[in-house]
Amino acid sequence: MLGHAEAMRTLNNRRFFVAVLQRLAEYERTVRRLSKEVARWDLKRKEPWAGIEPEVQAELARRHPGEYAFVRRSLDPYGEEFGSRTLDPTWRNNHQRWSELRRQVMAALADGTWQTAVLPKQRADSDVKDDVDRATRNAELRRKVRAGLLTPKQAKRKREQDNRRRRAL
């Protein structure tokens, strides 16, 4: 049997522990609520722009089909996949190479030599072949997902495993 002072100390320690747990739960709820609000705000902020980019690209392609095709062709080797509209982040973040390509494309468009311009290769032929291989593999995974042979999650996992394996080589 505990004495009165020891019982009060134990009771106070337990109250303190429960109060800490309660504050921790409140903190987690607040962080979750704020995260949801930030995500909702960020989504609302991006909404007006989400539909504009494809419209602008379509309008450019309609007004200036040759020049648009030239720019797309110039960027094709540098996508996440060959011909992808999203540039490879490792390449995109190399400001010197990106600036040089942008300067060449803009100069060809400005002086009218875009029809005959030959852009220097910024990537080795093996890198371009790897991009084509990656695009082929990704297309095969998409086909399997559409056919119901794989779930999107399984396809993503296979793609990540393949990327890890290729980086290790």
Side-chain angles (χ1 to χ4, degrees), residues 35-116:
S35 296
K36 285 180 183 177
E37 285 179 20
V38 166
R40 194 175 320 118
W41 176 82
D42 198 36
L43 187 62
K44 283 182 181 177
R45 186 175 57 85
K46 290 178 182 176
E47 272 177 13
W49 301 104
I52 292 175
E53 184 180 353
E55 290 174 17
V56 169
Q57 286 181 356
E59 181 65 18
L60 280 173
R62 188 185 66 73
R63 284 188 183 176
H64 310 283
E67 292 92 335
Y68 183 77
F70 169 71
V71 172
R72 289 296 320 144
R73 226 179 20 258
S74 302
L75 295 175
D76 275 349
Y78 309 104
E80 286 179 340
E81 300 172 3
F82 186 79
S84 163
R85 292 199 183 281
T86 306
L87 292 177
D88 182 2
T90 58
W91 189 88
R92 183 181 62 220
N93 293 335
N94 185 331
H95 297 293
Q96 182 180 3
R97 285 169 48 184
W98 172 240
S99 297
E100 179 62 22
L101 178 66
R102 183 174 36 195
R103 186 191 60 72
Q104 291 171 359
V105 168
M106 296 304 284
L109 288 171
D111 63 18
T113 60
W114 60 269
Q115 294 172 341
T116 58

Side-chain angles (χ1 to χ4, degrees), residues 138 141-142 154-163:
N138 287 337
L141 287 173
R142 283 192 295 274
Q154 290 170 327
K156 181 179 178 185
R157 193 175 309 122
K158 281 186 178 284
R159 192 175 297 114
E160 289 169 353
Q161 288 171 349
D162 186 52
N163 288 342

Side-chain angles (χ1 to χ4, degrees), residues 126-142:
S126 62
D127 290 346
V128 173
K129 183 183 180 319
D130 285 345
D131 284 346
V132 172
D133 292 345
R134 183 183 306 131
T136 305
R137 287 191 306 275
N138 287 337
E140 179 66 19
L141 287 173
R142 283 192 295 274

